[in-house]
Amino acid sequence: MKQINVVISGFGPYADLSVNPSYEVPLALEQYSSQELDLPEDVRVNIKSVMLPISFANAWPQLLEMINAQDADIVIATGVKHTARGVQLERCATNIMDATKPDVDNHTPQSVQIVENGPSAYWTRLPLRMILNDFAHDAIASTLSSDAGTYVCNSLFYRLLNWASNNSKKQIIAGFVSFPPVVATHDARHGLPLDSQIKAGQNIIREAVKYYMKPSSLSILLE
């Protein structure tokens, strides 16, 4: 029996959202079994969620603490894009913090590198092509996103990929997903129902696990 440890992170309260999908989706996914994810019988998946503060300084240390505690093989960080109409798969993390509003620590970095002299950007390690195929099969509105902005989401994404790229102990599958606002019924102008977003999370974990078991460059979509 092969055990794969998955950590999925979300963020704490957004002041202008009554329902925060990056909080609700990870909590829901923590309850799913390998069978419910439609994975091979010889694979056991252990899913743990962690809620992070919207903080440049503290989000990554808290995520890293959970990663180490769970000896994670797969790490999926999530956030919310208020303007998104569907689930957005983030392709690239850039080495810049450039905030137009303060984080929860009242920190407003402007045009500052996340990691001094670090690479300008990192590409996601999630199998985007296969995830998008699953989304299409389940009629989940989705798109690729060129970057995760320059706020806390991108900072967390960059630090995650920087850590994964420099981890010499084992291969880590890692990436970032932006959820849209939650709406009662599907509305292509405003967002997705929560159950659709949870289903999207199931698809992401399933394909990440399959990719971890059998990596293929054809599963990564960069263009």
Side-chain angles (χ1 to χ4, degrees):
M1 177 73 71
K2 174 68 173 178
Q3 175 163 316
I4 298 176
N5 298 321
V6 178
V7 167
I8 179 166
S9 73
F11 283 109
Y14 286 77
D16 52 350
L17 289 178
S18 59
V19 181
N20 174 7
S22 79
Y23 178 86
E24 301 294 343
V25 174
L27 283 180
L29 293 172
E30 194 172 35
Q31 309 305 317
Y32 280 85
S33 67
S34 301
Q35 289 72 30
E36 290 172 303
L37 292 171
D38 194 27
L39 289 167
E41 292 183 359
D42 60 345
V43 175
R44 180 178 182 271
V45 176
N46 178 47
I47 304 171
K48 293 295 182 182
S49 65
V50 57
M51 296 305 123
L52 308 173
I54 304 174
S55 165
F56 286 102
N58 296 314
W60 168 241
Q62 291 188 29
L63 177 55
L64 182 59
E65 183 178 0
M66 177 63 84
I67 290 170
N68 289 332
Q70 297 299 319
D71 190 23
D73 304 297
I74 297 170
V75 185
I76 302 164
T78 76
V80 178
K81 272 191 180 178
H82 292 65
T83 58
R85 299 176 180 180
V87 179
Q88 295 196 351
L89 301 178
E90 304 295 346
R91 292 187 292 186
C92 186
T94 55
N95 190 15
I96 187 170
M97 295 181 285
D98 193 18
T100 58
K101 59 182 179 181
D103 65 5
V104 295
D105 304 316
N106 202 33
H107 186 206
T108 314
Q110 296 182 326
S111 298
V112 179
Q113 285 188 326
I114 299 167
V115 176
E116 188 174 358
N117 299 321
S120 297
Y122 286 106
W123 290 107
T124 185
R125 293 184 168 204
L126 291 176
L128 305 186
R129 187 185 301 276
M130 301 310 298
I131 293 169
L132 285 175
N133 286 345
D134 282 6
F135 286 175
H137 179 270
D138 292 328
I140 297 171
S142 60
T143 187
L144 296 176
S145 173
S146 296
D147 63 74
T150 56
Y151 196 53
V152 176
C153 287
N154 176 72
S155 178
L156 180 67
F157 188 17
Y158 185 91
R159 290 187 183 279
L160 170 60
L161 293 183
N162 182 67
W163 168 81
S165 296
N166 290 289
N167 190 321
S168 60
K169 294 182 179 180
K170 64 178 180 179
Q171 180 73 9
I172 303 292
I173 305 301
F176 196 98
V177 178
S178 296
F179 290 118
V182 173
V183 294
T185 58
H186 178 73
D187 184 339
R189 297 170 298 173
H190 298 116
L192 290 173
L194 184 58
D195 60 352
S196 294
Q197 301 198 44
I198 293 172
K199 180 65 176 177
Q202 290 178 259
N203 290 338
I204 293 164
I205 291 178
R206 180 191 309 111
E207 293 303 338
V209 170
K210 289 164 61 178
Y211 180 67
Y212 181 85
M213 298 292 291
K214 189 176 181 180
S216 168
S217 60
L218 297 178
S219 299
I220 300 291
L221 184 66
L222 300 181
E223 299 179 354

